[in-house]
Amino acid sequence: MLPKRIGILIPSTNTSVEADFQRLLSDAVTVHSERLYIPDGTMTETSLDLMNRDLQEKAALLATAKIDVIAYACTSGSFYRGADWDEQVTNTIEQRTGIPCVTTSTAVSKAFQSLNVRSISVMTPYPDWTNQKLAEYYIAHGMDVKGVHGDARAAANGHRAINDQDPAEIAQFALEHFDGGAQALFCSCTAWRSLECIQTLEASLNVPVVTSNQATIWAALHAIDSLEQATPTGRLFSEHPVQ
């Protein structure tokens, strides 16, 4: 029996998405990536626009590998232009390829729904303007955003530096800034190695922890009816499979 195939569209500087997919998936699912060019440096709307400029072409290239589902694996790239931007990205990819698509922002929203979470505390490696756009997006999707905290150590040093931040630093930042009363912690950004500290954070905070890559993997597997082909990572996988 042939393995299922997940195609992923990722920012060109990102080295974390593929590693996290490989970390969680069994041999029954293979992963195939296509990169969307983004210049290194501080995130801006212009740089995200540039990244999305070739979205249709890159999705079409990925589709030639007979992919079963396409995951657009960039959180900010799927929310920065408003509450329905993730839907526009999904429609653009699906219309061009005829292949089902999930985006990270949508996947995270569905993860909150599955966990019955309404209020979140958010950690990011983003600059302030991106954090504001994130808050606006999730508020528009019905969430109570208790706070969005950007780690300036990552935000100030460009996209590549985000990939290289030690998960222990991410965990410490999250523990220091978590908003009391929030029902869950969300670590945003597919380049951030936050998936590697989910278990530490859930044990310390006693709330579900959702990360961008974890939610993207979860949603992509659900789309191909293969959720059992992942190593359960966090309460999202172990307690709340997709309905």
Side-chain angles (χ1 to χ4, degrees), residues 111-152:
F112 294 146
Q113 291 170 16
S114 183
L115 289 160
N116 295 316
V117 162
R118 302 293 296 177
S119 64
I120 55 174
S121 178
V122 186
M123 308 299 149
T124 84
Y126 301 148
D128 290 343
W129 77 268
T130 319
N131 289 331
Q132 180 61 38
K133 293 287 187 180
L134 182 151
E136 292 170 1
Y137 172 87
Y138 285 105
I139 289 169
H141 284 264
M143 300 304 300
D144 175 12
V145 179
K146 297 293 188 183
V148 182
H149 308 276
D151 189 340

Side-chain angles (χ1 to χ4, degrees), residues 60-187:
L61 284 173
L62 197 54
T64 64
K66 295 185 178 179
I67 297 301
D68 295 299
V69 63
I70 293 175
Y72 177 92
C74 180
T75 327
S76 55
S78 53
F79 70 61
Y80 77 111
R81 290 209 166 273
D84 64 348
W85 179 244
D86 56 334
E87 294 182 13
Q88 293 184 50
V89 171
T90 297
N91 291 338
T92 294
I93 292 171
E94 291 183 345
Q95 290 170 11
R96 182 67 177 85
T97 66
I99 297 172
C101 171
V102 299
T103 75
T104 298
S105 292
T106 307
V108 170
S109 289
K110 289 182 177 179
F112 294 146
Q113 291 170 16
S114 183
L115 289 160
N116 295 316
V117 162
R118 302 293 296 177
S119 64
I120 55 174
S121 178
V122 186
M123 308 299 149
T124 84
Y126 301 148
D128 290 343
W129 77 268
T130 319
N131 289 331
Q132 180 61 38
K133 293 287 187 180
L134 182 151
E136 292 170 1
Y137 172 87
Y138 285 105
I139 289 169
H141 284 264
M143 300 304 300
D144 175 12
V145 179
K146 297 293 188 183
V148 182
H149 308 276
D151 189 340
R153 295 171 297 185
N157 293 311
H159 303 301
R160 294 191 185 111
I162 293 172
N163 298 276
D164 296 334
Q165 189 169 16
D166 192 306
E169 280 191 3
I170 298 171
Q172 187 61 38
F173 180 81
L175 291 172
E176 290 173 355
H177 292 85
F178 181 74
D179 297 282
Q183 294 176 302
L185 168 65
F186 172 36
C187 294

Side-chain angles (χ1 to χ4, degrees), residues 206-234:
N206 197 30
V207 298
V209 175
V210 173
T211 79
S212 290
N213 287 344
Q214 173 210 35
T216 304
I217 295 165
W218 175 81
L221 288 172
H222 172 57
I224 56 174
D225 297 319
S226 298
L227 199 62
E228 73 283 357
Q229 299 302 331
T231 300
T233 302

